[in-house]
Amino acid sequence: MSQALILKQQIPKLAEPVAMLDYLAQRFTYKTTDEWSEQMEQGCLRLDGAITRHSALLQGGETLEYQPLPFAEPPVNTNYHIIHEDDDLLVINKPAPIPMMSIRKYHQHSLLILLERDFPNLKLFPVHRLDMETTGAVVFAKNFAAASHMGKQFLLKNVHKTYLAWVHGAFPPDLKLLKSYLQRLPNRPHFIEAETGLLAETQVKYLDQHS
């Protein structure tokens, strides 16, 4: 069973009172409204030390605590490898499946938690992310200055990512560019393909075919 985590946050100043359930679903999108409602029913949420219910209204300034009940986490692949390490950076070959951060039913079973256990004297900052089912190099900064510098490199698109993928079926060898639009699902940390939204472009290079 995973050890329950206590998440603690002070509610920021609000323009007007907000229902507790609405605030949770909009601020912490890794759970749906129904999932947060269930957590409240189980007594996992407290405001200023007292168990809160659905009727609670947030004024701003309250202290929110979340302590989920112990649960069994799904297994993950923890066999990571260090590609590079210096005074500022730690580059890991991420295995799969394992999420980068604690999400939904994965709390202790995440790459960041695993690294924090293996490197207890380091404060690591993930510079970017890979999906749970994606393997490859991920960069962690060892200090705030390195994290800020590397973050700017990604923001300015000075970092280029290359993915190798197996494709089932007949892949068109003349395909050079994939273009699509992405929209975020309401109250969810996921994006879906849509007719409008954030433009995503992926350059494609056909390598080989195997029967």
Side-chain angles (χ1 to χ4, degrees), residues 30-128:
Y30 53 84
K31 289 187 182 295
T32 65
T33 300
D34 289 342
E35 288 172 336
W36 279 121
S37 177
E38 182 180 359
Q39 293 295 296
M40 295 176 75
E41 290 289 344
Q42 294 174 350
C44 298
L45 290 139
R46 294 176 179 267
L47 274 182
D48 295 330
I51 294 178
T52 184
R53 300 301 180 188
H54 294 82
S55 59
L57 283 178
L58 300 178
Q59 307 291 334
E62 301 96 332
T63 298
L64 170 67
E65 294 181 7
Y66 171 48
Q67 184 174 9
L69 298 176
F71 58 93
E73 297 187 29
V76 295
N77 186 350
T78 60
N79 188 27
Y80 71 86
H81 300 283
I82 298 176
I83 299 175
H84 170 81
E85 183 177 9
D86 57 34
D87 292 339
D88 296 309
L89 300 175
L90 179 66
V91 183
I92 297 295
N93 184 12
K94 175 190 171 298
I98 186 171
M100 288 283 297
M101 316 283 286
S102 298
I103 56 170
R104 295 175 64 81
K105 55 187 176 181
Y106 299 90
H107 286 262
Q108 297 298 318
H109 291 183
S110 69
L111 183 59
L112 182 58
I113 294 295
L114 178 63
L115 292 174
E116 287 177 344
R117 286 202 299 261
D118 291 346
F119 299 90
N121 296 324
L122 293 180
K123 173 62 177 176
L124 295 173
F125 302 86
V127 175
H128 63 109

Side-chain angles (χ1 to χ4, degrees), residues 6 8 13 16 18-19 21 34 65 79 92-93 101 118 124 131 138 152 164 166 172 176 185 194:
I6 297 180
K8 191 172 183 179
K13 183 179 179 180
E16 58 185 17
V18 176
L21 193 56
D34 289 342
E65 294 181 7
N79 188 27
I92 297 295
N93 184 12
M101 316 283 286
D118 291 346
L124 295 173
D131 290 340
V138 289
K152 290 179 181 178
L164 295 176
W166 290 95
K176 304 298 182 183
L185 289 171

Side-chain angles (χ1 to χ4, degrees), residues 178-194:
L178 295 175
K179 296 178 65 175
S180 60
Y181 292 93
L182 303 178
Q183 287 187 358
R184 188 167 188 166
L185 289 171
N187 297 327
R188 305 289 291 181
H190 304 293
F191 289 84
I192 59 172
E193 189 172 356

